[in-house]
Amino acid sequence: MIRQLLGDPDLLRSHPHFRSAPRTRLYGVERVEAAERSEEFRAASAVAARRSAAARAAALRRRREVLARIAAEPVDVPRLPPERLAALAVEHRNRRDEERALWRRGHVAAPITVERAESGALDRWKVDYLRHRLARCDEVLEELYGRTGRAAAEELLRRRIYAAIAMAYPDLARECERRV
């Protein structure tokens, strides 16, 4: 609308903070106020407002669709005996620790056993293991990359996952609650 209603700027100045940035366009206050009082401005402003409202409505619709898809996504937590879950969780933790040692300078992998693990740490590892077992959920989020509502979808999915883990394993409810 600025180019349409005001045309060329009254003055061009170099950008005050970045030399490589485009020059700043400056317009006289009287010219701007006169353009804002014009019928052409009112018409262009009304069109812009309608376009903006339509874009907001479309974004809201897309966000709702994404959230509905996430709400419908099944979250199936595997049911494992406590000893098996502990063993798998420690194995998962040790594998991730070894991977971390490969890319984090100065990190030395420190394998641990179920017997040597502190109960709080073991609960964290169990929840981590179960969360990573639900890899389908990560695939769904990757499909939503760059789409409207992705952040809200990620939050909703995260809450659903931790709620499902807490339901399946009540002894992990506190850790799940902490993560939410």
Side-chain angles (χ1 to χ4, degrees):
M1 275 190 347
I2 291 173
R3 282 195 181 107
Q4 175 188 345
L5 297 174
L6 296 175
D8 292 332
D10 296 325
L11 192 59
L12 284 173
R13 293 283 169 137
S14 59
H15 194 281
H17 301 290
F18 304 104
R19 282 181 196 239
S20 62
R23 293 171 49 174
T24 303
R25 295 176 178 91
L26 301 172
Y27 298 88
V29 173
E30 303 81 27
R31 229 168 53 118
V32 171
E33 288 173 344
E36 287 177 344
R37 286 189 298 272
S38 73
E39 207 44 55
E40 190 180 2
F41 174 78
R42 280 192 266 293
S45 184
V47 167
R50 281 193 303 276
R51 191 175 326 133
S52 179
R56 267 193 310 278
L60 185 59
R61 178 187 45 78
R62 288 191 305 269
R63 184 177 194 273
R64 284 187 187 129
E65 288 170 359
V66 165
L67 290 176
R69 178 173 177 200
I70 292 301
E73 188 65 32
V75 179
D76 300 319
V77 178
R79 311 284 174 149
L80 302 167
E83 320 75 51
R84 181 77 178 129
L85 177 58
L88 289 170
V90 167
E91 181 182 311
H92 178 73
R93 179 258 177 221
N94 287 339
R95 185 173 44 255
R96 290 182 57 91
D97 194 42
E98 287 173 17
E99 291 170 2
R100 195 174 296 117
L102 294 174
W103 57 265
R104 187 183 288 167
R105 193 185 340 203
H107 181 81
V108 178
I112 200 155
T113 62
V114 174
E115 296 77 27
R116 287 190 11 221
E118 297 174 18
S119 70
L122 190 56
D123 285 351
R124 285 194 310 274
W125 300 337
K126 287 176 183 178
V127 172
D128 281 341
Y129 170 74
L130 292 166
R131 167 68 183 90
H132 285 100
R133 280 285 304 265
L134 302 170
R136 169 74 185 123
C137 297
D138 291 332
E139 292 170 17
V140 170
L141 287 177
E142 284 178 25
E143 292 170 15
L144 299 176
Y145 182 77
R147 293 187 51 195
T148 301
R150 185 192 190 280
E154 190 170 344
E155 175 69 17
L156 174 61
L157 185 58
R158 193 168 60 81
R159 287 179 178 278
R160 289 190 61 222
I161 287 170
Y162 290 130
I165 291 171
M167 255 328 225
Y169 298 94
D171 56 317
L172 298 177
R174 175 175 270 146
E175 176 61 23
C176 291
E177 205 173 284
R178 185 187 71 79
R179 289 177 182 226
V180 170

